[in-house]
Amino acid sequence: MNIQIFGKSKCFDTKKAERYFKERGIKFQKIDLLDKGLSKGELNSVVAVLGLNVLFDMESPLYKELNLDRIGGHELRAEILLDHPKLFKTPIVRNGKQATLGYCPEVWKTWV
């Protein structure tokens, strides 16, 4: 199992996800989205499972500032997301080709 948690340090659900794996003794790699971001390959892997539009935090002031509700092109939206990691909903938890968004212990327990 190769768990990666992509999150923001101040995100409550990211902290809960980290605690979930720590309490079960499952090693994970923590990636701060605001510091490191997601690579294009990682984004494509997550999008293949979850879809692109669910990854956007539509409540973010930046989402509204960039008028992303009016931008429909998949490639352009993906580039904007890569360029502005603040726009991600978090946490994104990956295990190989599997991925979840948010706090999803019911899914994670099936990964063990």
Side-chain angles (χ1 to χ4, degrees):
M1 196 165 17
N2 185 21
I3 304 294
Q4 293 177 304
I5 300 175
F6 296 88
K8 301 172 192 165
S9 59
K10 295 186 180 195
C11 172
F12 183 69
D13 282 345
T14 297
K15 291 176 184 176
K16 282 176 39 179
E18 292 171 9
R19 187 170 50 247
Y20 175 89
F21 290 105
K22 278 181 191 171
E23 287 174 352
R24 285 153 183 80
I26 300 170
K27 291 183 180 181
F28 62 89
Q29 179 184 13
K30 176 183 173 182
I31 298 101
D32 187 334
L33 279 173
L34 300 179
D35 185 37
K36 301 279 186 198
L38 233 69
S39 72
K40 193 168 190 161
E42 290 165 334
L43 178 63
N44 289 337
S45 173
V46 171
V47 167
V49 176
L50 302 174
L52 178 65
N53 290 330
V54 299
L55 298 176
F56 283 92
D57 178 0
M58 294 179 190
E59 301 301 316
S60 165
L62 184 57
Y63 185 88
K64 294 168 182 140
E65 181 182 318
L66 295 174
N67 292 315
L68 287 170
D69 56 331
R70 297 187 179 143
I71 297 174
H74 181 84
E75 291 295 320
L76 181 56
R77 286 177 69 84
E79 285 300 319
I80 290 170
L81 197 52
L82 288 171
D83 291 341
H84 301 281
K86 285 184 175 183
L87 290 168
F88 279 103
K89 276 188 186 175
T90 54
I92 299 167
V93 181
R94 288 183 58 208
N95 179 25
K97 300 258 184 226
Q98 300 171 309
T100 60
L101 181 64
Y103 182 71
C104 303
E106 65 282 353
V107 175
W108 302 333
K109 70 181 174 186
T110 66
W111 293 355
V112 179

